[in-house]
Amino acid sequence: MGIGPNDLINDLRTFGFLFETLCIRDLRVFADSLDGEVYHYRDKDGQECDAVIHLRNGKYGLIEIKLGGDKLIEEGAKSLKSMKAKIDTDKMKAPSFLMVLTGTSDWAYRRHDGVYVVPIGCLKN
């Protein structure tokens, strides 16, 4: 692509798209090891989820991918909670987890609202 680190720092939107693509690749590797699949979701109202990990036993998790920073993490968590609230649990199971996957920080944690915030470097088998 002919771009370097400074180009990406100066264009965080493009950097975010590239980061999301790399995260999806990693999530597919991990999901595959659990005999699962990774999907993208968008509904008729335009609400979307960057990644849905679905396992054969019917369990699934919703993931928003954000580069990092408190504001973006909060936006991701808000979107996940909104999507979870729209799920008709009489027709399908509730998600097993909600996660904001980030590019920053050295540790993962669970927020008071139950949303996990996980740096991409913490994902491993």
Side-chain angles (χ1 to χ4, degrees):
M1 290 178 50
I3 58 176
N6 288 332
D7 298 315
L8 294 174
I9 293 296
N10 291 322
D11 184 359
L12 290 178
R13 182 172 163 84
T14 299
F15 187 24
F17 289 134
L18 293 173
F19 177 70
E20 184 174 322
T21 301
L22 292 172
C23 289
I24 294 295
R25 180 207 58 194
D26 287 0
L27 289 171
R28 284 190 173 135
V29 170
F30 296 125
D32 188 57
S33 73
L34 299 170
D35 201 21
E37 299 285 337
V38 176
Y39 301 99
H40 177 84
Y41 177 83
R42 180 186 302 264
D43 67 16
K44 64 182 178 176
D45 299 324
Q47 185 162 18
E48 67 175 325
C49 185
D50 294 329
V52 178
I53 295 181
H54 188 267
L55 303 180
R56 284 190 160 207
N57 64 6
K59 292 184 178 183
Y60 68 98
L62 306 177
I63 302 170
E64 276 294 310
I65 301 170
K66 302 291 183 188
L67 276 174
D70 291 340
K71 181 180 176 189
L72 291 176
I73 290 170
E74 189 59 42
E75 287 175 11
K78 182 180 176 184
S79 177
L80 290 168
K81 292 185 293 185
S82 174
M83 179 158 295
K84 181 182 177 185
K86 292 176 80 173
I87 296 171
D88 184 349
T89 55
D90 291 332
K91 296 182 180 180
M92 67 182 298
K93 296 178 183 179
S96 297
F97 67 90
L98 305 176
M99 178 171 66
V100 178
L101 187 60
T102 70
T104 59
S105 189
D106 295 325
W107 61 88
Y109 61 94
R110 184 173 183 238
R111 294 166 29 123
H112 68 280
D113 57 7
V115 176
Y116 292 94
V117 178
V118 180
I120 188 68
C122 287
L123 293 182
K124 57 184 165 184
N125 285 342

